[in-house]
Amino acid sequence: MDVKNKYNQKFLVFVFLSSCWICSQTLSLIHYGFREGGDTGRYLSGANMLINGKLPVDDQLSYLGYDMFVALCLFFGGGEVGVVLVQMALTAIAAYCIFKTGETLFDYRSGAIASFAYIAYPPIHEWDFFILTDSLFTTMLIISTWCLIKSKTNLMKICTVLIFLFTFIIRPNGIILFGAFLVFYLYTLWSNGQKKLFICTLISFLLLFTLIVNYEGSIFKHITIVKWYSDGIIIVYYDKLHLTMESPGLSTLITETKSPLMQIFYFIIEKPIYFSELFFYKIWYFLIHTRPFYSTFHNLFVLVTLMPAYFFVLWGLKRKTKHENYKLFIFAIIFFQTLNVGLTVADWDGRFLEVVLPQIFLLASGGINIIFDMSKKYLYKYSGRLTS
């Protein structure tokens, strides 16, 4: 009887989440339709180059994964509408993966909560209907996490590596996946007592990370991060909110350095207080997710939904599980995305947070269950006092 009830419960949850996904995607499709974003032309151009047997050049190369994705959709006759339809379908796969990840890390209820939050949160799925990297990158981060958890056999490990590589090249900040995996792998080595391999791996990964960052900096020559610093930009494309850098201005050591990583390093050394203030302002607006130019309702919706989520994340991190390394991997994705924004800029429309909201909801789902169980125990204890 218990097995039957458990099966019925799982079936009802599946039906509920599936219905929510259908409703969410349908309503979003009616509201947004099929749209092109400001960078859509870049991806269509890169996709057409691949179809014609040419490799994208310059900064287009940093979006190679998304160009490949769009090229496949165009090649098989789906057109721009086909790109959006595949992105929508991938959200269904991601909803399943986030459910199974939550269930593995915490329990069945956590998986259902995390999946529901991902499906039902409108700002995440707004980008499913644009030919932009956001939707694909968000879903692939979720799918990559589940593949990492399931990679027990050699075949699954190979598949996971391929999925990781594809996710990594979707957009420039795919590097956060690289950083998260480094944290995961080093933690696993340390936990297993492999200290020498830990040190060798750390040095190797740091060297590789430096090469990747310098490579990306060399193909994004038109974007000067220290120029953003000197202009005091907090939210890109919003001039009414900025900091003013005191004299003196940028030294020749910074302006004449070609390496973007060294430019940032020299800037921090020369202006530590100003940099710190700018850094934390950007992180604040990144995490708080409100904007001065949003409507009051929109800002209130964001605050009412995200502030409790952050609170539950802390409880989710506190909750001990058998899979601390995977939990750390998920947290590292959030951390490196936050660090990325702190070192660059907060986005005008908040897209930079929305790609890691599923990871936030995952950790929060574990925290919600702790509070739920504590509340049940308290009520049971309190009701027992009343009846005694």
Side-chain angles (χ1 to χ4, degrees):
M1 186 66 179
D2 290 338
V3 174
K4 186 177 180 181
N5 286 338
K6 190 175 181 180
Y7 174 80
N8 289 337
Q9 184 187 38
K10 287 189 175 184
F11 178 74
L12 288 173
V13 169
F14 172 77
V15 171
F16 172 72
L17 291 175
S18 300
S19 301
C20 288
W21 180 84
I22 292 169
C23 291
S24 172
Q25 292 292 308
T26 302
L27 291 172
S28 296
L29 179 59
I30 292 170
H31 181 71
Y32 296 110
F34 300 102
R35 295 192 177 187
E36 292 187 356
D39 294 327
T40 298
R42 168 198 286 163
Y43 308 129
L44 292 174
S45 172
N48 284 314
M49 288 181 71
L50 288 172
I51 291 171
N52 293 321
K54 298 177 182 178
L55 196 66
V57 295
D58 299 328
D59 62 342
Q60 279 187 331
L61 198 56
S62 278
Y63 301 92
L64 180 61
Y66 194 67
D67 290 344
M68 290 166 60
F69 169 75
V70 175
L72 283 172
C73 293
L74 297 180
F75 180 78
F76 287 107
E80 295 180 26
V81 172
V83 174
V84 172
L85 292 176
V86 175
Q87 287 179 168
M88 291 170 65
L90 284 172
T91 64
I93 298 172
Y96 170 79
C97 290
I98 201 171
F99 174 85
K100 296 301 292 183
T101 301
E103 183 183 29
T104 302
L105 290 183
F106 302 112
D107 52 39
Y108 186 81
R109 287 181 305 177
S110 295
I113 291 168
S115 185
F116 173 74
Y118 166 68
I119 290 168
Y121 202 71
I124 296 176
H125 299 288
E126 172 184 352
W127 307 106
D128 298 343
F129 306 93
F130 288 78
I131 301 181
L132 296 171
T133 60
D134 303 86
S135 177
L136 182 66
F137 188 62
T138 303
T139 54
M140 290 308 300
L141 281 177
I142 298 169
I143 294 168
S144 296
T145 302
W146 177 234
C147 287
L148 179 65
I149 293 172
K150 292 295 290 180
S151 58
K152 306 301 180 185
T153 64
N154 289 332
L155 179 61
M156 269 305 299
K157 287 177 181 178
I158 293 170
C159 291
T160 300
V161 168
L162 293 174
I163 288 171
F164 265 58
L165 287 174
F166 174 69
T167 307
F168 176 71
I169 61 174
I170 289 174
R171 56 196 278 177
N173 70 320
I175 198 169
I176 68 172
L177 188 62
F178 177 90
F181 180 75
L182 172 60
V183 171
F184 162 82
Y185 189 60
L186 289 176
Y187 177 86
T188 304
L189 290 176
W190 188 268
S191 300
N192 294 335
Q194 298 172 286
K195 306 293 170 60
K196 290 182 179 179
L197 185 57
F198 173 92
I199 294 170
C200 292
T201 303
L202 178 61
I203 294 170
S204 301
F205 269 82
L206 287 176
L207 289 172
L208 182 59
F209 172 79
T210 304
L211 290 172
I212 292 170
V213 170
N214 279 299
Y215 168 73
E216 290 194 341
S218 68
I219 62 176
F220 281 91
K221 294 176 182 177
H222 59 289
I223 297 176
T224 308
I225 292 176
V226 291
K227 180 69 166 59
W228 289 340
Y229 293 173
S230 60
D231 290 343
I233 295 174
I234 297 170
I235 301 173
V236 71
Y237 306 132
Y238 186 67
D239 299 330
K240 293 181 181 179
L241 181 67
H242 66 276
L243 298 182
T244 302
M245 187 175 72
E246 296 179 357
S247 298
L250 300 178
S251 68
T252 54
L253 182 63
I254 296 173
T255 56
E256 293 179 3
T257 300
K258 293 183 180 180
S259 166
L261 206 58
M262 293 309 297
Q263 280 186 331
I264 294 171
F265 176 75
Y266 291 142
F267 190 96
I268 294 171
I269 296 298
E270 290 187 9
K271 299 184 181 294
I273 297 175
Y274 172 77
F275 173 83
S276 299
E277 189 178 1
L278 191 62
F279 182 86
F280 286 107
Y281 261 112
K282 287 182 284 190
I283 287 180
W284 169 259
Y285 277 100
F286 167 72
L287 292 174
I288 205 75
H289 209 46
T290 60
R291 296 291 183 268
F293 42 82
Y294 284 173
S295 68
T296 303
F297 174 79
H298 191 285
N299 282 331
L300 283 174
F301 170 78
V302 167
L303 290 172
V304 168
T305 53
L306 289 187
M307 294 308 103
Y310 293 144
F311 171 75
F312 290 127
V313 164
L314 297 177
W315 281 91
L317 290 170
K318 183 181 177 182
R319 182 176 177 179
K320 295 297 180 183
T321 72
K322 295 186 295 183
H323 306 286
E324 289 295 305
N325 52 347
Y326 296 122
K327 192 168 70 173
L328 183 62
F329 173 77
I330 292 166
F331 177 74
I333 290 174
I334 302 167
F335 172 80
F336 283 114
Q337 179 69 349
T338 305
L339 180 64
N340 177 62
V341 171
L343 292 173
T344 54
V345 286
D347 200 44
W348 186 86
D349 48 19
R351 284 188 290 166
F352 294 165
L353 179 66
E354 284 154 13
V355 298
V356 294
L357 279 178
Q359 284 71 31
I360 291 171
F361 293 153
L362 255 174
L363 295 178
S365 69
I368 290 172
N369 265 343
I370 291 180
I371 303 298
F372 179 75
D373 290 337
M374 287 172 62
S375 301
K376 273 206 318 185
K377 287 179 182 178
Y378 175 79
L379 289 172
Y380 179 77
K381 188 176 180 181
Y382 183 72
S383 62
R385 286 178 181 177
L386 290 177
T387 55
S388 60

